[in-house]
Amino acid sequence: MGNKTSSPGPPLTAASEECENEIQTEVNENEDNVFITHEEKSPDVTSSIETSTAVESVENASELSSPGNVLLEKSEEQDEISNEGSSSEVADQMNDPQVCLDEEHEKALIKRKFVLQELVNTERDYVRDLGYLVEGYLKLMRNEEIPVPEDLKNGKDKIVFGNIEAIYEWHRDSFCAEIEKCLEEPQRLGLLFRRYERRLNMYVVYCQNKPKSEYIVSEYLDTFFEEARQKLGHKLQLPDLLIKPVQRIMKYQLLLKDILKYTEKAGLEEEAQNLRKAVQIMHIVPKSANDMMNVGRLQGFDGKITAQGKLLQQGVLLVSDPSTGKMKERQVFLFEQIIIFSDSVGPKTQFSTPVYIYKNHIQVNKMALEEHSEDGDPTKFLLKSKDPLQAGLAFVIQGKTIEDRNEWVSNIRAILDTQLDFLRALQSPIAYQKELTKDIAWNTYTSPKSYVSTRVYEPVASLIHA
């Protein structure tokens, strides 16, 4: 299972060899059922056969009850009693649940160590690859060791490489060493990812810049960057190295899941709790990174996308065209401050990704939500703009499924509720605080109940001017 690299693996014992075979090759464990041919018989087997033949010859030679025969019979009885006792002890051990459980725990720990070793080895390889970017390409461009095109000067290197330098320095100087310590102290691993949760968000920033980087690199891939690759002596092209951070955050998720699995099998519940939280973190980070890569492909929006707050949800919905009323497929981005509708252009394949052309938007503080459409379709809802500059602008929106529609409505409702609460706090802080205290006390003695809301959410802006 491990990724073989320059670093040596853990020392192999008889037990670990068995587990390595089980992980790497999953060999059929029924080899003991193979018949032994005459040439393959061991000395012990031959000796046993000869002894048995000799005993049969003695028995057939004479039926007389000589003193020697009596002694032989008594010896055989003692051997049978001894063998029965030994077999009974082995059977008891094999049937002992505690012995079986201990063996399973030991196997799980050995397997976990192999996955930990793979985590360490691939982390070292990752730092090396990041070094190719920072110590190689980035240094070469800054020192202008070869002529750099004018379009790549004046800070364009920051668009090409994003925050890769910060990522490299953190892994090289800190995170890699912390990962290596987990080989001897596996209990540190889950806590390590929880500790650096905020730092790992630098990957979200990197991925948001990735589409712009891809565009610039593609223009000079066969010219300047190819010349740079040959001068540096690299086998991989620049795009192959720039995708490494995206691949790495996915690799963390997969390895952590395996380590969690073997930790649970080993019965180490406290460690497993921290690892579950680590797995959750490394589920959120790649998802956020992927979302922000899509945002980075949005074109034609005049505002500053980073000023729109956190991206809460993005995906494909059917949205009515304001001019024709026809339902069209749109890529929709829901931020804390705005919802943006865009058109997807170009196919999504293994080697290409679409770009998103801006079509419309509604500011959240000038937005009204109607949770039910006029035709009663359970997959639809309605958004209206109350902005005087967007008079009459409204969108009928349809999710792929009822669950999809409900998720969008729930997130939009939550934003509007938050803004409404914020407005109340500004207008009447004392009254709002009393109401909040009352709600907390009520929730202490009652359980939440599910209900279907028929409320029309009016925009906060209209309440401000009321």
Side-chain angles (χ1 to χ4, degrees):
M1 178 175 178
N3 182 12
K4 302 295 183 183
T5 63
S6 57
S7 301
L12 297 179
T13 62
S16 63
E17 279 187 11
E18 178 188 348
C19 288
E20 183 180 27
N21 292 335
E22 190 175 330
I23 297 171
Q24 302 281 356
T25 61
E26 296 185 3
V27 179
N28 191 325
E29 296 180 357
N30 293 326
E31 294 178 354
D32 292 339
N33 293 330
V34 177
F35 289 104
I36 303 174
T37 63
H38 178 73
E39 290 76 13
E40 294 172 335
K41 290 176 183 176
S42 66
D44 291 340
V45 174
T46 304
S47 175
S48 176
I49 294 173
E50 291 174 352
T51 301
S52 177
T53 304
V55 171
E56 288 177 1
S57 299
V58 171
E59 290 177 346
N60 294 332
S62 174
E63 295 180 357
L64 296 176
S65 179
S66 65
N69 290 339
V70 173
L71 290 174
L72 179 60
E73 290 174 2
K74 288 183 177 180
S75 176
E76 288 176 350
E77 289 175 359
Q78 291 174 354
D79 289 343
E80 288 176 4
I81 294 171
S82 176
N83 290 336
E84 287 176 1
S86 176
S87 299
S88 176
E89 291 176 3
V90 172
D92 288 344
Q93 290 181 356
M94 292 178 65
N95 294 328
D96 187 348
Q98 187 59 45
V99 172
C100 294
L101 188 61
D102 291 343
E103 289 179 356
E104 288 298 319
H105 287 181
E106 184 181 357
K107 282 186 178 181
L109 290 174
I110 293 171
K111 290 178 181 179
R112 183 176 75 164
K113 188 160 188 177
F114 278 109
V115 184
L116 280 167
Q117 186 67 59
E118 182 180 359
L119 175 63
V120 171
N121 292 344
T122 54
E123 182 70 16
R124 291 168 180 161
D125 292 343
Y126 177 56
V127 172
R128 179 201 63 202
D129 291 338
L130 293 179
Y132 290 156
L133 288 167
V134 176
E135 306 292 346
Y137 283 97
L138 201 54
K139 186 177 180 181
L140 179 144
M141 291 179 66
R142 288 174 178 173
N143 296 340
E144 297 192 23
E145 296 178 23
I146 59 175
V148 179
E150 289 297 322
D151 287 347
L152 290 177
K153 294 181 180 180
N154 302 321
K156 281 288 184 69
D157 59 324
K158 293 182 180 179
I159 299 178
V160 172
F161 298 98
N163 60 339
I164 196 70
E165 197 166 9
I167 293 174
Y168 169 58
E169 290 173 355
W170 177 60
H171 281 269
R172 179 196 64 190
D173 300 338
S174 178
F175 198 62
C176 185
E178 294 285 353
I179 289 287
E180 289 172 341
K181 291 177 184 177
C182 295
L183 269 178
E184 300 301 325
E185 302 175 71
Q187 69 275 10
R188 294 168 55 94
L189 186 62
L191 294 170
L192 181 64
F193 278 86
R194 294 180 63 187
R195 173 185 172 189
Y196 287 118
E197 179 177 2
R198 293 186 64 183
R199 182 66 70 94
L200 287 163
N201 279 308
M202 67 173 66
Y203 282 94
V204 178
V205 177
Y206 179 82
C207 290
Q208 184 175 358
N209 177 73
K210 190 77 169 59
K212 298 177 184 176
S213 170
E214 290 171 353
Y215 178 77
I216 295 175
V217 170
S218 66
E219 290 188 319
Y220 296 94
L221 181 59
D222 297 328
T223 53
F224 172 73
F225 288 122
E226 176 59 22
E227 184 181 354
R229 183 189 71 81
Q230 293 180 10
K231 181 174 179 60
L232 293 168
H234 292 174
K235 293 182 179 180
L236 296 177
Q237 290 188 315
L238 181 57
D240 299 324
L241 293 172
L242 289 173
I243 198 66
K244 293 287 184 180
V246 182
Q247 295 172 336
R248 189 58 184 163
I249 53 176
M250 292 303 300
K251 186 71 171 178
Y252 284 140
Q253 182 187 137
L254 296 174
L255 292 174
L256 283 171
K257 283 182 178 178
D258 279 347
I259 293 169
L260 171 60
K261 177 177 69 176
Y262 294 129
T263 301
E264 288 174 336
K265 286 185 177 181
L268 304 175
E269 182 55 31
E270 185 175 349
E271 290 184 38
Q273 287 180 3
N274 289 320
L275 284 168
R276 289 186 197 104
K277 293 176 182 177
V279 169
Q280 179 65 18
I281 290 169
M282 291 317 300
H283 171 77
I284 294 171
V285 171
K287 183 181 183 302
S288 299
N290 181 66
D291 288 346
M292 293 313 295
M293 274 199 288
N294 282 336
V295 170
R297 295 188 175 94
L298 178 63
Q299 299 178 7
F301 177 65
D302 292 334
K304 190 175 181 181
I305 202 71
T306 55
Q308 307 307 320
K310 182 180 178 182
L311 177 66
L312 301 175
Q313 191 171 356
Q314 61 96 22
V316 178
L317 295 169
L318 289 176
V319 181
S320 62
D321 188 292
S323 57
T324 65
K326 291 183 178 180
M327 302 296 285
K328 295 184 177 181
E329 195 172 86
R330 295 282 186 248
Q331 182 74 23
V332 183
F333 300 93
L334 176 63
F335 293 87
E336 289 176 315
Q337 304 297 331
I338 195 173
I339 186 167
I340 297 175
F341 304 95
S342 66
D343 187 20
S344 178
V345 178
K348 183 175 183 180
T349 67
Q350 183 180 356
F351 304 103
S352 65
T353 50
V355 295
Y356 305 112
I357 308 301
Y358 165 82
K359 289 297 180 182
N360 284 293
H361 76 273
I362 301 178
Q363 292 288 343
V364 169
N365 66 343
K366 299 174 183 178
M367 180 171 68
L369 166 66
E370 293 183 13
E371 297 191 19
H372 302 283
S373 63
E374 293 180 358
D375 61 4
D377 190 328
T379 63
K380 292 180 181 178
F381 61 97
L382 185 68
L383 288 181
K384 293 181 178 179
S385 174
K386 296 297 183 180
D387 188 341
L389 300 178
Q390 296 178 317
L393 183 63
F395 299 96
V396 177
I397 301 173
Q398 183 174 7
K400 297 177 182 177
T401 63
I402 295 176
E403 291 74 17
D404 185 36
R405 173 262 180 204
N406 289 345
E407 185 179 0
W408 280 93
V409 169
S410 177
N411 284 330
I412 294 171
R413 186 198 306 139
I415 301 174
L416 295 175
D417 282 344
T418 299
Q419 292 211 358
L420 187 60
D421 289 342
F422 179 69
L423 176 62
R424 287 173 179 168
L426 288 177
Q427 291 178 334
S428 306
I430 297 176
Y432 174 75
Q433 185 62 37
K434 288 181 178 179
E435 184 179 348
L436 184 63
T437 304
K438 182 180 178 180
D439 288 342
I440 293 173
W442 174 256
N443 289 332
T444 303
Y445 295 102
T446 61
S447 58
K449 298 179 180 179
S450 59
Y451 64 95
V452 178
S453 172
T454 57
R455 175 180 176 182
V456 175
Y457 285 81
E458 291 296 336
V460 172
S462 64
L463 296 174
I464 294 175
H465 299 296

